[in-house]
Amino acid sequence: MPRRQTGCRLLGIASVYTKSTAWQGGGKVKQHRNDLLLAAAVLLLAAAVWFFSRPGGSGAWVVVTVDGQETGRYALDQDRTVTIGEADYNVLEISGGQAAVVEASCADHTCVRTGWISREGETIVCLPHRLVVRIQGASGELDAVAR
Amino acid sequence: MTAGKNSRELARFALLVALAMVLSWLESLVPLSLTVPGVKLGLANLVVIFALYKLGPRQAAVISLVRVLLITFTFGNAFSFAYSLTGAALSFVVMLLLKKTGKFSLLGVSIAGGVCHDIGQILVAMAVLGTAELIWYLPALLIAGTVAGVCIGAAGALVTARVKL
């Protein structure tokens, strides 16, 4: 088949499907309404979760947790570089009131791509190393003193 | 020959498992996740949905499970197995239930599947990391799951309508 003809045929198929409801599963009108309602409900839930869990004011502490155990707590306003772990390592940098994992030995580097965090509640996660870096507000100060 | 039907079924089964596995692998080559871990299109779900509508729940469940096992043995580890299995299982059960109600079209079923896959994965991540802070990622994952569900559902509907078994 010549190339042009194939192209025309593909376009023809595409135009049929944009007009038809085949791409929606060819179901009944009621089903499509329910599909829409489902999608809307999920997006609403997303908005609700975002609203209630969004990061708060500026943080004061950088809390490092490995395997659910807190392993370190650093003041956000003191610049420093910390290496967490040995063979499986993440390098945490605190600079100018922000924190980031700048280097890591994990495979996916999601932690490095997360970038800089500074607001209360923001987190950096490294799933392969079970590491969580979380920004905590000034209220966490008491804990630090107690330690 | 009576053997003809069985061998054809077996071949079809193997073909779908292979397809699901290759789609998972292809997807892992193109990382979509920029800041949120676990965001992906879920191309393999296309095969699962196709099997769910064309072959029945039992076959679809087996295809999904075998795919997770094969992908884990080939590329994964114990943790990725836990994420994949929980995501796939939760997504499958919810898709099956929604399909059974008859109130949603394939598109709606696919959206639910995409969203539940992400919810399952984040639940495992929360359990593994022992932290509830990950709930922070949920909104992004819900939106990503919905978008992925629409894409996969639209493609799945076309494939299901056109492929004759």
Side-chain angles (χ1 to χ4, degrees), chain A residues 1-145:
Chain A
M1 206 186 305
R3 212 177 176 183
R4 210 170 123 237
Q5 217 177 329
T6 318
C8 287
R9 216 176 136 221
L10 283 178
L11 269 182
I13 291 170
S15 74
V16 166
Y17 276 119
T18 45
K19 280 177 207 151
S20 81
T21 55
W23 68 276
Q24 293 174 312
K28 303 178 199 90
V29 176
K30 211 169 185 184
Q31 287 185 327
H32 294 157
R33 202 197 56 198
N34 287 337
D35 292 348
L36 262 180
L37 286 177
L38 177 73
V42 172
L43 295 180
L44 208 65
L45 179 67
V49 175
W50 175 79
F51 186 79
F52 287 112
S53 69
R54 69 190 157 164
S58 57
W61 296 94
V62 182
V63 181
V64 178
T65 317
V66 179
D67 250 332
Q69 299 283 314
E70 185 177 322
T71 60
R73 179 180 286 259
Y74 311 99
L76 196 54
D77 54 10
Q78 285 166 26
D79 293 0
R80 70 171 88 207
T81 306
V82 192
T83 303
I84 303 148
E86 284 161 18
D88 296 337
Y89 67 90
N90 299 69
V91 179
L92 171 71
E93 195 179 312
I94 300 172
S95 171
Q98 293 184 303
V101 172
V102 290
E103 198 191 326
S105 63
C106 57
D108 56 9
H109 279 78
T110 302
C111 50
V112 178
R113 280 203 303 264
T114 305
W116 294 90
I117 59 172
S118 61
R119 303 192 75 77
E120 191 180 346
E122 281 189 308
T123 50
I124 300 173
V125 175
C126 178
L127 283 182
H129 297 168
R130 276 158 285 158
L131 168 80
V132 179
V133 177
R134 194 177 74 237
I135 303 288
Q136 209 173 63
S139 53
E141 222 159 332
L142 281 178
D143 295 342
V145 173

Side-chain angles (χ1 to χ4, degrees), chain B residues 88-132:
Chain B
L90 188 65
S91 151
F92 183 80
V93 169
V94 171
M95 286 199 295
L96 184 60
L97 291 178
L98 279 200
K99 181 178 178 287
K100 281 225 163 126
T101 64
K103 289 200 168 74
F104 298 91
S105 79
L106 193 147
L107 195 66
V109 170
S110 168
I111 292 173
V115 169
C116 288
H117 183 265
D118 290 351
I119 292 178
Q121 291 204 324
I122 206 161
L123 285 180
V124 175
M126 278 181 180
V128 168
L129 293 170
T131 169

Side-chain angles (χ1 to χ4, degrees), chain B residues 3 20 24 26 35 43 48 62 68-69 77 85 87 105 108 118 124 126 142 152-153 158 165:
Chain B
S24 302
L26 272 181
T35 54
L43 281 174
V48 176
V62 173
V68 170
L69 283 174
N77 53 48
L85 190 66
S105 79
D118 290 351
V124 175
M126 278 181 180
L142 287 177
I152 296 299
L158 291 179
L165 287 181

Side-chain angles (χ1 to χ4, degrees), chain B:
Chain B
M1 284 289 281
T2 51
K5 197 175 167 243
N6 271 338
S7 19
R8 201 179 312 156
E9 258 173 26
L10 185 65
R12 190 163 64 203
F13 216 75
L15 206 66
L16 287 175
V17 169
L19 190 59
M21 195 183 162
V22 167
L23 288 176
S24 302
W25 173 70
L26 272 181
E27 198 169 57
S28 72
L29 295 181
V30 192
L32 278 178
S33 47
L34 297 170
T35 54
V36 183
V39 170
K40 53 184 176 178
L41 201 46
L43 281 174
N45 204 31
L46 192 56
V47 179
V48 176
I49 286 180
F50 177 81
L52 187 62
Y53 274 80
K54 296 292 247 184
L55 303 175
R58 201 173 300 168
Q59 273 99 327
V62 173
I63 288 173
S64 183
L65 180 66
V66 172
R67 174 194 74 89
V68 170
L69 283 174
L70 287 177
I71 282 289
T72 303
F73 289 146
T74 320
F75 306 109
N77 53 48
F79 286 116
S80 71
F81 178 67
Y83 299 126
S84 314
L85 190 66
T86 314
L90 188 65
S91 151
F92 183 80
V93 169
V94 171
M95 286 199 295
L96 184 60
L97 291 178
L98 279 200
K99 181 178 178 287
K100 281 225 163 126
T101 64
K103 289 200 168 74
F104 298 91
S105 79
L106 193 147
L107 195 66
V109 170
S110 168
I111 292 173
V115 169
C116 288
H117 183 265
D118 290 351
I119 292 178
Q121 291 204 324
I122 206 161
L123 285 180
V124 175
M126 278 181 180
V128 168
L129 293 170
T131 169
E133 303 295 326
L134 286 173
I135 196 91
W136 203 66
Y137 288 115
L138 194 58
L141 284 176
L142 287 177
I143 293 167
T146 310
V147 173
V150 170
C151 296
I152 296 299
L158 291 179
V159 172
T160 308
R162 291 186 74 85
V163 174
K164 304 269 182 293
L165 287 181

